[in-house]
Amino acid sequence: MPGQHTSGSAPVPEEPGGPRYVAEYLERLGIGDPGEPSLSGLFALHRAHVERVPYEVLEIQLGRPTTADPRYAAGQVLKGRGGYCVQLNGAFSTLLTALGYDVTWHRAGVHAGRKLPPVGPAEPAPHLVLTVSVEGGAWMVDVGLGDGLHEPLPLRAGAYRQGPFTFHLGPSRFGSGGWRFEHDDGGAIAGLDFSMEPAGPADFAEWHPYLATDPESRLVRTVAVMRRDATSVDSLTGCMLRHVDDSGRTTRELGTFTEWYGALAEVFDLPLADVGPQERTALWTKVRGAHDAWLEARARRSAART
């Protein structure tokens, strides 16, 4: 349960928001001055973030201390790294706020798989969704879903095609006024439900120690790295590298240390310059061991069915 575990503190940068911070963040995204808040600017920032800043849990897998503090998350982004959902959306919110956008945090519950029941936006919450009000409209913003949104969605019920995926947005059954985001059948999750009640960092901090340290946490059990663009999604789960686009899905097993770290650098732009030889070896040994255990379990299930 959240709150049962504690992790070491991690350094955080100075309070984000100044001109230097904004300039460095925009440089990381490959964007020039986006000007005053606008819908076109929001779309450009969202696209750039999901294309250049991957969803990744490598700091957790390395056993390094991490936090859900948006300042820490922003520092990770600025040094060329990514993070998991709350961290990525928290960091992005600091940039949007510094640029003058009207940003609100919301608690969300992730529906992990279609064979599992949906999960409401609990308190404390394991997922953060942002909404942004701009040019008279309200938009769902989420750069932390990995293979999720490439662009913001209007807070209006409907179906929305983005690259290889079709998303649906509609009313949530959990509480009045909330929203249900349905991922594509080929997505990494089934969907999520989020409340429209405003939230803040404290609503997510209690879950972080569990997510970052508990052996039952999905972020601890399995390495996951994802990044998407307008037409496709790349994902790495354990040793399995997948690519999804309109033509279908391809999967490749990464069988060696060199292949695995090569994919991190070449596919996800994660050269991990701050990870030394001993840490690299330890991480690969952990990942490969978990992958071999998964292969053995899959073989046993297959044998049991025959």
Side-chain angles (χ1 to χ4, degrees):
M1 292 295 294
Q4 288 183 325
H5 299 264
T6 59
S7 59
S9 60
V12 297
E14 295 298 320
E15 193 70 34
R20 180 178 174 183
Y21 169 82
V22 170
E24 290 179 354
Y25 209 132
L26 292 175
E27 181 180 5
R28 172 80 165 91
L29 300 186
I31 289 183
D33 182 359
E36 294 298 313
S38 66
L39 190 56
S40 62
L42 176 64
F43 270 55
L45 291 163
H46 198 290
R47 288 192 297 260
H49 210 287
V50 296
E51 290 176 6
R52 288 176 172 257
V53 183
Y55 175 103
E56 52 109 339
V57 296
L58 294 169
E59 291 293 275
I60 290 173
Q61 290 288 320
L62 287 163
R64 294 176 173 180
T66 61
T67 81
D69 188 316
R71 295 173 300 163
Y72 163 81
Q76 290 294 101
V77 171
L78 293 187
K79 75 175 188 178
R81 294 292 300 279
Y84 74 90
C85 53
V86 172
Q87 293 171 329
L88 293 175
N89 284 322
F92 192 43
S93 75
T94 67
L95 174 64
L96 293 176
T97 300
L99 290 170
Y101 286 89
D102 181 3
V103 183
T104 305
W105 287 34
H106 305 276
R107 293 178 291 108
V110 175
H111 183 189
R114 298 187 185 279
K115 295 182 179 180
L116 300 172
V119 178
E123 188 175 353
H127 186 76
L128 162 64
V129 169
L130 308 176
T131 58
V132 174
S133 297
V134 61
E135 296 186 8
W139 297 80
M140 176 187 175
V141 167
D142 198 322
V143 298
L145 280 177
D147 67 347
L149 302 186
H150 183 242
E151 298 176 333
L153 294 184
L155 282 184
R156 184 171 63 247
Y160 302 92
R161 184 75 180 180
Q162 294 187 2
F165 295 144
T166 297
F167 308 126
H168 292 84
L169 196 62
S172 171
R173 74 183 196 186
F174 296 99
S176 176
W179 290 91
R180 167 73 180 183
F181 167 80
E182 289 277 353
H183 206 320
D184 190 272
D185 286 344
I189 63 170
L192 58 83
D193 289 83
F194 62 98
S195 166
M196 286 303 290
E197 290 295 320
D203 291 292
F204 305 89
E206 188 178 345
W207 260 105
H208 177 79
Y210 166 78
L211 291 173
T213 65
D214 195 290
E216 295 302 312
S217 165
R218 58 186 173 82
L219 308 188
V220 174
R221 293 197 313 267
T222 307
V223 165
V225 185
M226 291 182 277
R227 191 168 67 159
R228 71 158 301 169
D229 58 27
T231 62
S232 64
V233 175
D234 291 296
S235 64
L236 175 64
T237 307
C239 292
M240 304 303 290
L241 180 65
R242 298 178 178 87
H243 180 81
V244 181
D245 58 26
D246 283 332
S247 65
R249 179 190 300 260
T250 60
T251 303
R252 178 164 64 96
E253 182 177 359
L254 305 177
T256 69
F257 175 102
T258 301
E259 282 185 304
W260 196 77
Y261 280 104
L264 286 178
E266 295 163 17
V267 178
F268 302 100
D269 195 22
L270 289 171
L272 303 184
D274 64 335
V275 181
Q278 288 186 330
E279 278 190 308
R280 284 176 178 261
T281 299
L283 178 58
W284 167 247
T285 300
K286 177 182 178 181
V287 171
R288 187 67 216 187
H291 181 71
D292 289 341
W294 172 74
L295 290 176
E296 291 174 5
R298 187 176 66 171
R300 288 195 298 268
R301 290 194 298 269
S302 178
R305 288 194 295 268
T306 59

